[in-house]
Amino acid sequence: MIACGRSPAAAIVALLSLACFRLPCQAQSAVTPPPADPHVAEAIQQVSPDRIRQTIEKLVSFGNRSTISPQDEESVKAGKGVGAARDWIKAEFDRYSKDCGGCLEVKTDAFIEQPGDRIKNPTEITNVYAVLRGSDPAQTSRIVLVTGHYDSRNSDTFNGTDPAPGANDDGSGTAVSLECARVLSQAFLHKVRFPATIIFLTVAGEEQGLNGSKHFAQMAKQQGWKLEAVLNNDIVGGDRNPQQDASVVRAFSEGIPNAATEAEIRRIRALGGENDSTSRELARYIADVGRTYDTGVKPLLTFRLDRFLRGGDHLSFNQQGFAAVRFTEFREDYNHQHQDVRTENGVEYGDLPKFVDYDYIAHVARLNAATLASLASAPAPPTNVKMLIKNLDNNTTLTWDPSPAATAYDVIWRATSAPDWERVQSAGSNTRATLKVSKDNVIFAVRALDAAGHRSLPVVPEPER
Ligand SMILES: [Zn+2]
């Protein structure tokens, strides 16, 4: 590899680039985080720990939000059960929309789940969501989404009556979705426009078997949504145990895609693509966002679908072929989730508000909001990205189709053993680049940029003979 442009100092890089131009060699350099968008920086400052506290305390007040808890009119009126939670969330989205001049479309996705392992009777499940339509007619069909589950449970999956506060699991994730909706709709009110569409989702049925997210992801697939990214927040409460690390939030991403066909898995094996699912590229993108914006928390890239042998709503989206990651606090306390509220031998059990850290949840909400805003501001990722492999060659040539709204493209790469992108070379506005870097030794990807420096998700090339 040619050593030019390795120094991080911009001036030296510029000098070396000039030298390269004369030599000539490639104007490549170490990757840097994207420039901060002042609108995004301002919007995430509006995230409020106090609002998040109010949301979680309200959710807890419904007593038991199990999907099988009562949702008859009387219970809803009494403010108890999953139906009351559903109606309150919808009213919150409606209120945010009113506050931004009707900028949000508030919707529900309701269906009857038939009896299964954890549902004994046919049960209505309702996902509640708000849509902030993209402002650019050419890009409004592109969608990025944040989700959390508003159902809760105690020790018994079939108990729909005794307290199941679910402050952390997943009042925290529900609060993140709501708070992202509030601050980004307020940004809209202040004339900030996102070219692509953002959806703020809250689902039910997670604890009974991911039923809500499964229905929603299937709907997205059947309707042909261009869903580019899903951020699932589940247990992001920052439980106040002594081993907690409040400076990080784990960002889980699948390796081999759940939706990959046998032929695709063979191709992944042949190319060494095990570490480059679209979900993992999304996770790396989030890491970049975390370097640019001061959110108070850093994503800890965790290269695994979910916590060991466990699952969550992002899996429903992965199964439909969408890029989706899960955020979860660094260290969970199992006394504080899926537990009846009680004290035994001096140990307190139960998912109570007093165990969560509202500042931490606000930090996680900022990271989510910054990621959603960055993605929705960026041009669409380049399509038809190809690596030309007709002849054996130690150089690498990549081609791609132009992305509407893009003014430039970057080729980025990393050593096969490196977790994150290391080097970048601008292709300018060209849709073809040749690099003096061997395809044997690195993983390449191409991303699109607009004039303000917003970056798309990177796309790993397919070989073309
Ligand atoms: Zn959960």
Side-chain angles (χ1 to χ4, degrees):
M1 198 186 293
I2 295 161
C4 72
R6 270 176 194 255
S7 165
I12 297 172
V13 169
L15 267 174
L16 281 174
S17 301
L18 203 63
C20 290
F21 178 73
R22 284 181 188 154
L23 285 178
C25 69
Q26 308 291 321
Q28 56 163 267
S29 60
V31 291
T32 53
D37 176 331
H39 295 304
V40 176
E42 165 63 21
I44 67 172
Q45 282 314 307
Q46 304 309 312
V47 169
S48 157
D50 201 47
R51 290 274 194 160
I52 287 167
R53 179 185 58 75
Q54 289 169 30
T55 295
I56 289 176
E57 286 176 352
K58 186 69 189 179
L59 289 169
V60 170
S61 79
F62 299 119
N64 182 319
R65 307 191 304 279
S66 166
T67 303
I68 57 167
S69 65
Q71 42 181 313
D72 58 284
E73 217 171 294
E74 207 170 303
S75 303
V76 171
K77 239 188 214 159
K80 293 294 167 195
V82 71
R86 169 200 66 206
D87 287 4
W88 180 79
I89 292 166
K90 184 171 181 303
E92 277 296 281
F93 280 138
D94 281 332
R95 189 163 67 86
Y96 302 161
S97 188
K98 195 162 166 263
D99 289 348
C100 66
C103 76
L104 298 172
E105 296 163 35
V106 181
K107 300 186 173 203
T108 54
D109 160 39
F111 61 99
I112 304 293
E113 185 70 41
Q114 295 305 320
D117 287 354
R118 294 184 179 185
I119 293 183
K120 286 178 179 161
N121 304 304
T123 300
E124 184 171 72
I125 295 181
T126 307
N127 302 316
V128 187
Y129 61 110
V131 181
L132 182 59
R133 286 275 169 220
S135 61
D136 178 354
Q139 299 207 63
T140 190
S141 63
R142 297 174 48 222
I143 301 169
V144 295
L145 181 151
V146 60
T147 187
H149 70 86
Y150 70 90
D151 62 312
S152 68
R153 60 165 289 181
N154 52 33
S155 298
D156 177 2
T157 328
F158 295 103
N159 183 329
T161 48
D162 293 319
N168 195 347
D169 185 11
D170 186 28
S172 62
T174 304
V176 166
S177 253
L178 284 166
E179 191 63 359
C180 285
R182 191 182 70 79
V183 301
L184 295 181
S185 61
Q186 277 297 300
F188 183 93
L189 179 69
H190 294 101
K191 309 243 181 314
V192 178
R193 292 292 177 268
F194 302 108
T197 293
I198 306 176
I199 293 181
F200 310 93
L201 172 64
T202 66
V203 299
E206 198 272 352
E207 303 291 7
Q208 309 309 117
L210 314 181
N211 313 71
S213 58
K214 191 173 170 192
H215 189 267
F216 195 92
Q218 283 172 346
M219 175 178 77
K221 176 77 175 177
Q222 280 160 10
Q223 296 183 359
W225 290 16
K226 284 197 235 165
L227 185 51
E228 287 181 9
V230 173
L231 311 179
N232 175 32
N233 290 269
D234 196 350
I235 313 178
V236 292
D239 182 275
R240 297 170 182 278
N241 62 70
Q243 290 85 24
Q244 190 60 272
D245 181 352
S247 71
V248 296
V249 61
R250 290 179 289 174
F252 291 92
S253 58
E254 64 177 3
I256 306 288
N258 270 277
T261 62
E262 278 303 314
E264 284 163 347
I265 289 172
R266 274 199 299 278
R267 187 182 342 230
I268 288 166
R269 193 180 289 132
L271 299 178
E274 305 88 341
N275 198 7
D276 283 276
S277 67
T278 55
S279 299
R280 198 147 290 172
E281 307 310 0
L282 171 58
R284 294 186 178 106
Y285 188 98
I286 294 164
D288 241 358
V289 169
R291 290 179 198 109
T292 293
Y293 295 100
D294 180 18
T295 62
V297 70
K298 296 289 180 202
L300 180 66
L301 295 184
T302 311
F303 287 171
R304 174 169 278 158
L305 169 66
D306 203 313
R307 299 137 320 143
F308 208 73
L309 295 178
R310 295 165 75 200
D313 288 320
H314 57 308
L315 174 60
S316 298
F317 290 92
N318 287 157
Q319 285 170 333
Q320 299 302 322
F322 298 119
V325 301
R326 176 191 183 128
F327 290 114
T328 297
E329 65 191 15
F330 179 70
R331 190 179 170 98
E332 295 167 80
D333 187 326
Y334 304 112
N335 292 344
H336 301 158
Q337 52 178 268
H338 300 192
Q339 292 282 359
D340 290 338
V341 178
R342 67 195 192 279
T343 302
E344 261 176 31
N345 302 322
V347 178
E348 281 186 287
Y349 294 86
D351 192 350
L352 296 166
K354 67 176 176 183
F355 298 125
V356 305
D357 176 346
Y358 299 112
D359 289 326
Y360 178 81
I361 304 169
H363 295 157
V364 175
R366 287 191 186 113
L367 180 62
N368 274 265
T371 303
L372 294 169
S374 297
L375 286 166
S377 301
T383 49
N384 203 26
V385 181
K386 301 287 185 192
M387 179 187 288
L388 307 187
I389 53 159
K390 211 169 176 183
N391 305 310
L392 281 175
D393 187 352
N394 278 312
N395 295 335
T396 303
T397 298
L398 302 171
T399 66
W400 55 91
D401 291 346
S403 159
T407 55
Y409 303 90
D410 284 340
V411 178
I412 53 177
W413 66 96
R414 64 177 203 276
T416 56
S417 57
D420 205 350
W421 304 111
E422 296 177 320
R423 310 287 295 169
V424 59
Q425 181 177 313
S426 172
S429 57
N430 299 317
T431 55
R432 180 187 182 99
T434 297
L435 297 98
K436 293 181 185 303
V437 180
S438 169
K439 61 187 77 55
D440 296 343
N441 305 336
V442 305
I443 307 281
F444 284 107
V446 181
R447 66 188 177 206
L449 290 78
D450 71 4
H454 297 115
R455 295 173 179 174
S456 76
L457 286 164
V459 179
V460 172
E462 295 286 338
E464 172 133 303
R465 289 182 195 280

